[in-house]
Amino acid sequence: MEGDLKIFVTRLIPKAGLDLLYGFAELRIWQEEVPPPREVLLEEAGEVDGLLSLLTDTIDAELMDAAPRLKVVSNYAIGYDNVDVEAATERGIMVCHTPGVLTDTTADFAFTLLACVARRVVEASEYVREGRWKTWGPMLCLGYDLHGATLGLVGLGRIGSGVAKRATGFDMRVLYHDVSRQPSREEELGLTYVDLETLLRESDFVSLHTPLTPETHHMMGCEQFTMMKSTAILINTSRGQVVDEKALYEALVSGGIAGAGLDVTDPEPILRDDPLLTLDNCVVVPHIASASVATRTMMATMAAENLIAALQGRMPRNPVNPEVLDRG
Ligand code: DGY
């Protein structure tokens, strides 16, 4: 153990990460299935040097002000929209995240969800389980082909590029839109850069891979759904708030678009009576795109290593605000 360092881990994460932390500091771990209530988080944060947080924990200025010893927030996720990074930087608190290790697993899943909605897998499985399967049917569960279709990627970071790579194996034409063009990836993967409107108008599948920022909040709304083909399918594995879900519901019931696959929703969990859950053409799963045994283990190790490095005053591998350490 290093001095009297204390760490709070806001949920049970894979053992590989916890094992690294046990020998390093005094650990407290929130053991429940649901996140610690706000008052518990505030109280625990108030006593520790490091937090290993999840995307379900709001780490804001109020919490930081209630945490006089806090030096590091190591988020167990690539996304860090749950953390007020500016407030952390102002207070000299290092923020870290877990990029890279979940790229392929998340890209695998985005593609799985796309195939699942296109070929109506969930609906077909329910049809069988409900005892409705009477015979092979020429019109039964007709879906949309992946091969030869046009895929539009909104955001071409690591995960978007991973999805593009998978799409080439299905002979898809791939369009992308991002704040900046990426000529080397265009060449490597055979992608075409277009503006968002062209992407929405021409794509059979639109897959979202942007971080949640004030600019991307509700970037998919009524106007955007109107631009999409009536046969198009929307896939969201980014953040729920990127999509205006009321507008999505309208587009799905009115036939404005053909289907949607949502790994993420706004709020999470989606409410039991959310109208999206009544639709056969909308598949909703509980934010599991990075949920493979290997990837979650790597995320746990990475989050723990980041936390340890920052508490030892070293530059962690995955800092969000490295300037905190740079400026001493
Ligand atoms: C992330 O890491 O941001 C994902 O949403 C969960 O793995």
Side-chain angles (χ1 to χ4, degrees), residues 119-120 127 133-143:
R119 298 302 305 273
R120 302 172 63 176
Y127 183 84
W133 184 18
K134 297 190 193 70
T135 180
W136 184 87
M139 302 299 283
L140 183 60
C141 282
L142 305 188

Side-chain angles (χ1 to χ4, degrees), residues 52 88 143 149 197 250 270 306 321:
L52 196 147
E197 181 169 344
E250 290 308 323
I270 192 168
N306 284 334
N321 55 353

Side-chain angles (χ1 to χ4, degrees), residues 12-307:
L12 261 187
I13 59 167
K15 188 172 171 302
L18 295 178
D19 283 350
L20 291 174
L21 297 173
Y22 277 128
F24 176 71
E26 186 184 322
L27 264 199
R28 288 177 60 84
I29 304 170
W30 181 253
Q31 308 271 349
E32 310 286 322
E33 187 189 350
V34 294
R38 180 74 181 165
E39 62 278 11
V40 173
L41 185 60
L42 287 176
E43 200 183 313
E44 295 285 357
E47 312 213 326
V48 296
D49 306 274
L51 267 182
L52 196 147
S53 56
L54 271 55
L55 52 86
T56 43
D57 306 311
T58 301
I59 312 294
D60 55 11
E62 182 199 26
L63 179 140
M64 295 174 207
D65 287 340
R69 298 170 59 143
L70 190 63
K71 287 178 205 65
V72 193
V73 174
S74 182
N75 216 36
Y76 178 84
I78 184 173
Y80 46 84
D81 45 275
N82 59 308
V83 183
D84 185 338
V85 178
E86 207 180 306
T89 308
E90 276 167 17
R91 291 161 178 76
I93 296 171
M94 170 75 76
V95 180
C96 309
H97 66 147
T98 61
V101 285
L102 48 73
T103 303
D104 284 316
T105 300
T106 304
D108 282 351
F109 190 80
F111 213 83
T112 303
L113 195 52
L114 184 155
C116 209
V117 181
R119 298 302 305 273
R120 302 172 63 176
V121 175
V122 173
E123 210 185 321
S125 170
E126 275 167 16
Y127 183 84
V128 174
R129 283 169 186 258
E130 287 165 6
R132 291 195 283 143
W133 184 18
K134 297 190 193 70
T135 180
W136 184 87
M139 302 299 283
L140 183 60
C141 282
L142 305 188
Y144 295 96
D145 282 325
L146 273 62
H147 66 271
T150 297
L151 169 66
L153 298 168
V154 181
L156 193 73
R158 283 182 259 225
I159 297 170
S161 303
V163 176
K165 206 157 131 194
R166 284 149 182 80
T168 59
F170 278 80
D171 293 330
M172 293 172 111
R173 169 182 173 234
V174 186
L175 310 177
Y176 81 98
H177 179 73
D178 203 324
V179 281
S180 56
R181 259 186 95 152
Q182 309 201 25
S184 62
R185 282 193 190 161
E186 281 175 32
E187 200 177 331
E188 180 198 344
L189 299 167
L191 317 179
T192 306
Y193 178 84
V194 288
D195 58 47
L196 184 60
E197 181 169 344
T198 306
L199 182 145
L200 296 172
R201 290 198 188 282
E202 294 192 10
S203 298
D204 300 300
F205 301 98
V206 173
S207 190
L208 306 178
H209 301 285
T210 65
L212 174 65
T213 63
E215 291 73 39
T216 62
H217 184 266
H218 281 195
M219 76 179 287
M220 290 300 296
C222 189
E223 197 188 332
Q224 288 69 31
F225 292 124
T226 311
M227 291 173 188
M228 287 172 67
K229 295 182 185 181
S230 59
T231 50
I233 287 170
L234 175 80
I235 302 299
N236 190 8
T237 53
S238 61
R239 286 291 183 263
Q241 296 91 325
V242 174
V243 175
D244 175 348
E245 288 175 357
K246 285 200 174 63
L248 173 63
Y249 175 78
E250 290 308 323
L252 288 168
V253 283
S254 66
I257 68 170
L262 307 178
D263 178 46
V264 290
T265 59
D266 178 21
E268 290 187 7
I270 192 168
L271 301 179
R272 289 284 299 276
D273 61 355
D274 191 300
L276 284 170
L277 298 180
T278 64
L279 303 179
D280 282 340
N281 57 349
C282 184
V283 173
V284 184
V285 293
H287 203 152
I288 55 169
S290 68
S292 77
V293 176
T295 289
R296 289 288 167 88
T297 301
M298 286 190 282
M299 287 167 67
T301 306
M302 186 178 251
E305 284 174 352
N306 284 334
L307 190 48

